[in-house]
Amino acid sequence: MPEQYIGRFAPSPTGPLHFGSLVCALGSYLDAIAHGGQWLVRMEDLDPPREMPGAAERILKSLHAHGLHSHTPVVWQNQRHHLYQQALDKLRDDGLVYPCSCTREQVRKAGGHQRAQCVGEQGNHALRFHCAGAQETFHDLWQGEQTQVVGEDPILKRKDGLYAYQLAVVVDDIAQGVNCVVRGADLLDCTAVQSQLFRALGASVPQFGHLPLVMNEGGQKLSKQNHAAPLDDQKASANLVQALGFLGFHPPPGLESELPTQILSWASARWQRQAVDRRNRLLAQ
Ligand code: GLU
């Protein structure tokens, strides 16, 4: 029997959802549902200093208002540190991580690899994963054939003791059985490092699909950092219809007056990967 599709949406609670995040949530949801799959929500609350109080709850409320419900209970990274530590222990036992207290500049000058000074490092240090120079070739669902070379050994645990995104995202995708990762094209460049980590942890590498980004007038992607407007949950149906337009649909007039769940079933019955234009662009008005 073919393996069931398991997809996910994994927001970081650094601010409320904006239209760009809705496009990713919706694209990952529709791709999963259209393939008879499950869609999971994972809250990536891994970095308290970067988080905005109340953002996680607000994100979940927005997803709910837009009819986007996780098939399994929402997982919170903040409660999963033991899993990240277990994975680090395994990588350490396999000789794949090393302590490092270099600055980024020093690492860059060393070609992204371990420097002699790092060997036997004591005291406050980060843990890095040996993979600089590794090459990954893969077919991305929207960005096509990709060849990426890892430029620098990534940090898996920071000097301040926090687990890094790259480690947690892979450990959780493995633990949750995620086999198709649909997310924004801003994360395309992380794929080689993450694929290396999947392999090092003995798991198979999921299919990746990076959706086009919604840009603002200034040519930047909509993001919490550049203060994209939060989604208005009162306009959930209109937001969904607009996001469907960005993902290549031609919604019929009147779809906007349907409930979010009806809009989602209309769209999941018609989802076509090839209808999505891979280019990052402004939202068509
Ligand atoms: N938490 C990451 C973010 O919000 C996304 C992780 C992922 O989809 O791989 O940017």
Side-chain angles (χ1 to χ4, degrees), residues 8-14 42 44 77 165 169 173 181-184 186-187 194 221 224:
R8 47 67 161 187
F9 176 59
S12 303
T14 49
R42 179 170 72 231
E44 301 214 315
Q77 287 193 325
Y165 154 69
V169 78
D173 281 340
V181 172
V182 172
R183 58 186 181 186
D186 50 331
L187 294 168
Q194 292 174 10
K221 74 156 190 140
K224 296 158 192 161

Side-chain angles (χ1 to χ4, degrees), residues 6-7 21 67 85 91 110 143 154-155 159 164 187 191 202 228 242 255:
I6 302 183
S21 10
Q85 191 54 50
L91 295 170
Q143 309 302 322
I155 290 181
K159 239 184 232 180
L187 294 168
T191 308
Q242 205 173 19
L255 191 65

Side-chain angles (χ1 to χ4, degrees), residues 13-34:
T14 49
L17 292 185
H18 50 75
F19 185 74
S21 10
L22 179 64
V23 165
C24 289
L26 181 60
S28 64
Y29 175 89
L30 292 177
D31 200 62
I33 303 305

Side-chain angles (χ1 to χ4, degrees), residues 113-158:
H113 292 282
Q114 182 168 24
R115 300 163 69 230
Q117 291 89 322
C118 285
V119 177
E121 185 70 61
Q122 301 291 327
N124 251 3
H125 54 71
L127 287 175
R128 286 186 187 267
F129 172 45
H130 277 295
C131 66
Q135 179 171 311
E136 288 282 342
T137 299
F138 59 97
H139 179 83
D140 186 273
L141 292 177
W142 289 284
Q143 309 302 322
E145 290 306 313
Q146 302 288 315
T147 296
Q148 292 182 358
V149 177
V150 178
E152 170 183 317
D153 287 340
I155 290 181
L156 299 186
K157 191 171 186 186
R158 294 173 8 186

